[in-house]
């Protein structure tokens, strides 16, 4: 049963977003033709939408119920689709399936956009840090920085961790975090965030948050 569910999931994911868009276009056309009655067929052409958009919804509902007993909107929509077909409301069933799949596509696109933004932010974070210990400067991996470490950040470098400036003053480009187009002046006592860029002056800072705790 588990292997069967995995095959169903692989089938639903096959083709990705492009497949979903194509199926939605075909389903939308079928609904328009069904509404206008332009194509005389022995069956309602809205069945194209039911099959292309409705079947994936029903499969996802079944997979969720069997694998995790997860009752989501897919389950309720599946009942609505089946009920509509049973009472002969083929157009209504196709319309519901079409609208639900549009919502699912928009959700997928939003999640993908947010994930891409997070990945870009991770890549912007400095991979190394200048740590000051016993008067000496060492370049280490930013993942090795510990809370309380004293760091030095030079002009043009990306700030490796969250912390507070202890010496010096500078201007920080915070566009990646806040969207501000102009650099923000920072001095002793001000907080700075990982991933932001030191524009001009060199400064020293005390690490406050490291690793997964950074913003």
């Amino acid at each position: 049963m588990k292997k069967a569910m995995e095959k169903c999931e692989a089938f639903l994911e096959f083709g990705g977003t492009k497949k979903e868009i194509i199926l939605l276009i075909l389903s939308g056309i079928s609904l328009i033709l069904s509404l206008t009655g332009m194509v005389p067929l022995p069956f309602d052409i809205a069945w194209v939408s039911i099959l292309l958009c409705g079947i994936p919804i029903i499969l996802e509902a079944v997979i969720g119920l069997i694998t995790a007993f997860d009752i989501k909107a897919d389950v309720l929509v599946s009942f609505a689709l089946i009920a509509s077909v049973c009472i002969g409301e083929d157009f209504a069933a196709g319309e519901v399936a079409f609208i639900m799949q549009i919502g699912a596509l928009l959700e997928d696109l939003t999640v993908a956009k947010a994930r891409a933004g997070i990945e870009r932010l991770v890549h912007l974070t400095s991979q190394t840090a200048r740590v000051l210990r016993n008067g000496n400067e060492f370049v280490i991996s930013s993942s090795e920085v510990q809370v309380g470490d004293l760091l030095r950040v030079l002009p043009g470098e990306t700030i490796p961790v969250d912390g507070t400036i202890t010496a010096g003053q500078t201007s920080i480009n915070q566009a990646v975090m806040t969207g501000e187009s102009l650099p923000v002046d920072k001095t002793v006592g001000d907080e700075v965030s990982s991933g932001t860029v030191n524009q001009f002056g060199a400064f020293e800072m005390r690490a406050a948050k490291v690793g997964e705790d950074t913003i």
Side-chain angles (χ1 to χ4, degrees):
M1 181 64 72
K2 184 178 180 181
K3 290 184 178 180
M5 292 300 100
E6 290 177 350
K7 289 182 178 180
C8 287
E9 289 180 348
F11 171 74
L12 291 175
E13 294 174 357
F14 176 77
T17 303
K18 289 183 179 180
K19 179 203 71 176
E20 294 180 10
I21 293 175
I22 292 173
L23 295 184
L24 280 171
I25 292 173
L26 295 176
S27 298
I29 293 173
S30 73
L31 290 175
I32 293 173
L33 294 176
S34 174
L35 187 63
T36 58
M38 295 175 60
V39 181
L41 293 173
F43 59 90
D44 193 334
I45 198 172
W47 268 97
V48 174
S49 179
I50 296 174
L51 295 175
L52 297 182
C53 293
I55 296 300
I57 293 174
I58 295 174
L59 285 177
E60 288 178 1
V62 171
I63 292 171
L65 284 173
I66 293 178
T67 58
F69 198 68
D70 188 11
I71 301 177
K72 300 186 297 185
D74 291 339
V75 177
L76 302 179
V77 174
S78 297
F79 283 131
L81 288 174
I82 295 172
S84 297
V85 171
C86 289
I87 63 175
E89 294 291 340
D90 298 335
F91 179 81
E95 185 180 22
V96 169
F98 178 71
I99 292 173
M100 287 300 298
Q101 286 298 73
I102 287 179
L105 176 62
L106 293 177
E107 182 181 359
D108 291 342
L109 292 176
T110 301
V111 171
K113 185 176 180 180
R115 184 181 294 114
I118 293 173
E119 290 177 352
R120 285 197 299 269
L121 181 59
V122 170
H123 291 318
L124 284 173
T125 303
S126 177
Q127 300 300 309
T128 59
R130 301 174 184 275
V131 180
L132 300 176
R133 292 173 181 166
N134 301 320
N136 296 316
E137 180 180 304
F138 303 92
V139 178
I140 64 173
S141 170
S142 57
S143 62
E144 297 176 2
V145 176
Q146 300 179 2
V147 173
D149 277 349
L150 185 62
L151 310 178
R152 175 177 290 147
V153 183
L154 301 180
E157 292 184 339
T158 301
I159 298 173
V161 296
D162 295 350
T164 304
I165 295 178
T166 58
Q169 56 185 8
T170 186
S171 293
I172 303 295
N173 184 341
Q174 301 182 142
V176 68
M177 301 296 296
T178 65
E180 295 175 276
S181 59
L182 297 176
V184 178
D185 292 336
K186 298 284 186 177
T187 188
V188 175
D190 290 337
E191 295 182 351
V192 290
S193 303
S194 64
T196 56
V197 180
N198 180 25
Q199 291 280 285
F200 303 116
F203 66 90
E204 295 178 5
M205 60 176 284
R206 185 75 63 180
K209 294 181 181 179
V210 299
E212 296 180 353
D213 293 330
T214 56
I215 295 176

